[in-house]
């Protein structure tokens, strides 16, 4: 047996999967938890060495015979994080993550200096949002100048794992398009934005060349292979951001498919053969990791919301599902605007969560929990509508992420969005996508799209159709949710 290894560096866990290159079966998988340092000012950081340590912990759970069967590696990683290295390859500071909103002032300053959000969208395809890497680089310069001056390389989280594995400093277009200093149409660094970030320094010298197509970026280093129990010198692919690898792992590599990911954050995205730029800036004009583009909407609060309230109420997963499944559509009038960590869409980095419609009869655990599911789904329904307006309607939704394990949540998505929901057989879409990208390096007969056609399978038992009554009822509740969002914008916008 030969396998390929897919690695997915998430926010809460690092996951690994080994994919049999002949059968396409995942023959082993494991994960290791990750800490997250957060502050009241919106700071959200991790130490880069936590990632490499977690990789060792996860792989140690895999049988040595399976580890020794690996012939290639692909890496997926959380987007937008900022990993500054010095010339020797040392990480200079804690890594600010995608969910770090502490750099909102820097993001606003960069937009203004570039000529406003509309100008950013016109030239780059995207405005500068607080979660993007650009504002983090500016923050680093303004707050840790001595370390900033030592910075020799800017990497993203998955790039750093590639660097750890191979010693090579590289980037690829999909993940790079979430930095804020990348021209998504030209698929090249924006020298003008880099000059806005730092007029006194050529930041382009800190950025590796950008790969557009999958390629071997290097071989697994002997010392790392020994530490991880993997064969020396196996090939490592270019990898990509978790959304880009999730697109591969859910079969979203051709026009016509819409993926919805219910993870810590929520995302909705569709493949496009040409750049899709939203003049309103709600849909991110990202590149894919398969030579195309991946228009995408991201929310910062998805399973964040359900986990907060499960913890508050002391409810395990089984009890959560039981309570949510019997609570009524619309949660008996409770509506949650789940902006607990601020929000990206709409862009409200200082927002807080809001629950409206509480009375003495409906404030019960089931309604409160179901309201979190509904609020997170409504936020993503907005993305479905925005993609349709840009010419990417959803004929079906491929649902992935931890929330997709809930049968009730799957049905809520189908009813809220009014389209069928299908579920991949593997719930590790990003890790599977990374493994398939790695397999494309060694398969001499099939390209990545052909591999996806064969190896991305669906679990028909988990799919569901929209319920007519549910679609009708949620149409009204969604309008109430949108009115509540308008109040959140009035409360927390422009602060």
């Amino acid at each position: 047996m030969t396998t390929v290894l897919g690695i997915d560096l998430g926010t809460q866990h690092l996951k690994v999967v080994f994919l049999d290159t002949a059968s396409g079966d995942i023959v082993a998988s494991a994960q290791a938890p990750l800490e997250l340092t957060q502050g009241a000012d919106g700071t959200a950081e991790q130490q880069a060495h936590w990632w490499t340590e977690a990789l060792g912990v996860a792989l140690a759970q895999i049988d040595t015979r399976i580890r020794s069967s690996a012939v290639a590696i692909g890496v997926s990683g959380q987007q937008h994080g900022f990993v500054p290295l010095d010339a020797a390859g040392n990480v200079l500071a804690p890594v600010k993550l995608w969910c770090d909103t502490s750099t909102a002032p820097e993001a606003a300053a960069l937009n203004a200096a570039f000529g406003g959000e509309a100008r950013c969208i016109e030239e780059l395809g995207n405005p500068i949002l607080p979660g993007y890497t650009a504002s983090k680089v500016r923050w680093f310069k303004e707050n840790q100048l001595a370390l900033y001056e030592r910075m020799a390389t800017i990497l993203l989280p998955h790039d750093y794992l590639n660097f750890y594995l191979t010693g090579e400093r590289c980037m690829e277009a999909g993940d790079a398009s979430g930095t804020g200093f990348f021209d998504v149409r030209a698929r090249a660094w924006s020298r003008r934005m880099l000059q806005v970030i730092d007029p006194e320094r050529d930041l382009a010298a800190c950025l590796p060349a950008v790969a557009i197509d999958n390629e071997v970026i290097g071989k697994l280093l002997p010392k790392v292979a020994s530490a991880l129990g993997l064969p020396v010198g196996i090939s490592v692919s270019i990898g990509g951001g978790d959304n880009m690898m999730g697109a591969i792992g859910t079969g979203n590599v051709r026009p016509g498919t819409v993926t919805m990911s219910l993870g810590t954050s929520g995302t909705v995205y569709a493949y496009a053969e040409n750049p899709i730029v939203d003049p309103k800036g709600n849909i991110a004009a990202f590149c894919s990791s398969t030579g195309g583009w991946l228009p995408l909407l991201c929310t910062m609060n998805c399973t964040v919301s359900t986990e907060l309230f499960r913890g508050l109420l002391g409810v395990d997963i089984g009890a959560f599902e039981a309570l949510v499944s019997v609570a009524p559509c619309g949660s008996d009038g409770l509506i949650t605007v789940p902006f607990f960590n601020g929000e990206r869409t709409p862009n409200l980095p200082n927002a807080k969560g809001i629950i409206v419609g509480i009375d003495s009869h409906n404030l019960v655990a089931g309604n409160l929990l179901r309201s979190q599911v509904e609020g997170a789904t409504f936020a993503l329904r907005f993305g479905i509508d925005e993609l349709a307006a840009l010419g990417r309607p959803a004929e079906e939704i491929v649902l992935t992420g931890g929330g997709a394990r809930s049968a009730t949540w799957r049905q809520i998505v189908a009813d809220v969005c009014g389209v069928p929901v299908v579920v991949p057989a593997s719930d590790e879409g990003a890790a599977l996508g990374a493994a398939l990208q790695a397999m494309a390096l060694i398969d001499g007969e099939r390209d990545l799209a052909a591999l996806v056609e064969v190896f991305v399978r669906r679990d028909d038992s988990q799919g569901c159709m929209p319920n007519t009554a549910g679609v009708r009822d949620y149409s009204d509740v969604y309008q109430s949710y949108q009115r509540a969002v308008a109040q959140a914008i009035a409360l927390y916008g422009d602060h």
Side-chain angles (χ1 to χ4, degrees), residues 159-309:
D159 303 323
Y160 180 73
L161 280 187
N162 278 345
F163 173 70
Y164 168 74
L165 294 170
T166 67
E168 299 295 331
R169 307 179 194 217
C170 54
M171 283 195 180
E172 64 82 39
D175 211 1
S177 59
T179 60
F181 42 80
F182 191 75
D183 179 341
V184 299
R185 297 181 184 88
R187 293 190 285 205
W189 302 121
S190 167
R191 288 192 170 270
R192 193 162 95 79
M193 179 55 79
L194 292 173
Q195 289 171 357
V196 168
I197 295 171
D198 187 347
E200 302 167 350
R201 181 177 181 180
D202 180 14
L203 284 174
C206 297
L207 292 166
V210 178
I212 296 173
D213 298 314
N214 186 27
E215 60 185 58
V216 176
I217 58 141
K219 303 292 186 178
L220 185 62
L221 296 169
K223 64 178 181 180
V224 178
S226 176
L228 300 179
L230 297 169
V232 175
I234 59 176
S235 297
V236 179
S237 68
I238 189 64
D242 52 359
N243 292 304
M244 292 74 201
M245 294 297 102
I248 297 170
T250 59
N252 200 337
V253 296
R254 293 191 177 97
T257 299
V258 173
T259 297
M260 180 182 290
S261 176
L262 306 176
T264 304
S265 65
T267 53
V268 175
Y269 48 84
Y271 179 82
E273 294 175 327
N274 299 294
I276 302 291
V277 175
D278 178 6
K280 296 181 291 184
N282 291 322
I283 298 295
F286 290 167
C287 301
S288 76
S289 294
T290 53
W293 283 264
L294 198 72
L296 175 150
L297 178 134
C298 176
T299 65
M300 294 184 68
N301 303 272
C302 191
T303 58
V304 164
S305 307
T306 56
E307 292 305 288
L308 277 173
F309 281 84

Side-chain angles (χ1 to χ4, degrees), residues 79-122:
Q79 290 194 258
H80 314 310
F82 169 47
V83 188
L85 303 184
D86 66 14
N90 301 305
V91 180
L92 292 169
V95 179
K96 283 191 169 297
L97 304 185
W98 62 273
C99 50
D100 187 307
T101 59
S102 67
T103 63
E106 287 77 14
L110 292 177
N111 278 312
F114 201 81
E117 287 194 3
R119 186 66 180 275
C120 290
I121 293 170
E122 180 184 346

Side-chain angles (χ1 to χ4, degrees), residues 118-183:
R119 186 66 180 275
C120 290
I121 293 170
E122 180 184 346
E123 289 198 24
L124 308 178
N126 295 299
I128 305 301
L129 298 179
Y132 289 3
T133 317
S135 62
K136 299 175 173 69
V137 177
R138 179 68 165 260
W139 181 94
F140 192 44
K141 177 181 186 292
E142 293 178 347
N143 291 272
Q144 299 188 33
L145 182 59
L147 292 173
Y148 175 83
E149 290 176 340
R150 291 174 50 199
M151 183 177 70
T153 306
I154 295 170
L155 294 180
L156 302 172
H158 108 267
D159 303 323
Y160 180 73
L161 280 187
N162 278 345
F163 173 70
Y164 168 74
L165 294 170
T166 67
E168 299 295 331
R169 307 179 194 217
C170 54
M171 283 195 180
E172 64 82 39
D175 211 1
S177 59
T179 60
F181 42 80
F182 191 75
D183 179 341

Side-chain angles (χ1 to χ4, degrees), residues 346-421:
N347 182 23
L348 299 171
N350 298 315
K352 309 296 180 183
I354 299 172
I355 302 176
V356 300
I358 299 173
D359 62 31
S360 59
H361 302 289
N362 64 13
L363 188 57
V364 296
N367 288 335
L368 196 55
L369 291 168
R370 187 176 179 110
S371 181
Q372 307 314 307
V373 173
E374 291 175 340
T377 306
F378 290 147
L380 293 169
R381 152 72 188 273
F382 178 73
I384 294 289
D385 292 346
E386 293 291 281
L387 283 172
L390 292 169
R392 289 295 179 271
E395 297 177 0
E396 63 180 16
I397 293 172
V398 182
L399 203 61
T400 187
R405 300 187 186 106
S406 164
T408 304
W409 202 334
R410 295 194 297 269
Q411 188 62 55
I412 288 172
V413 170
D415 292 347
V416 167
C417 298
V419 294
V421 163

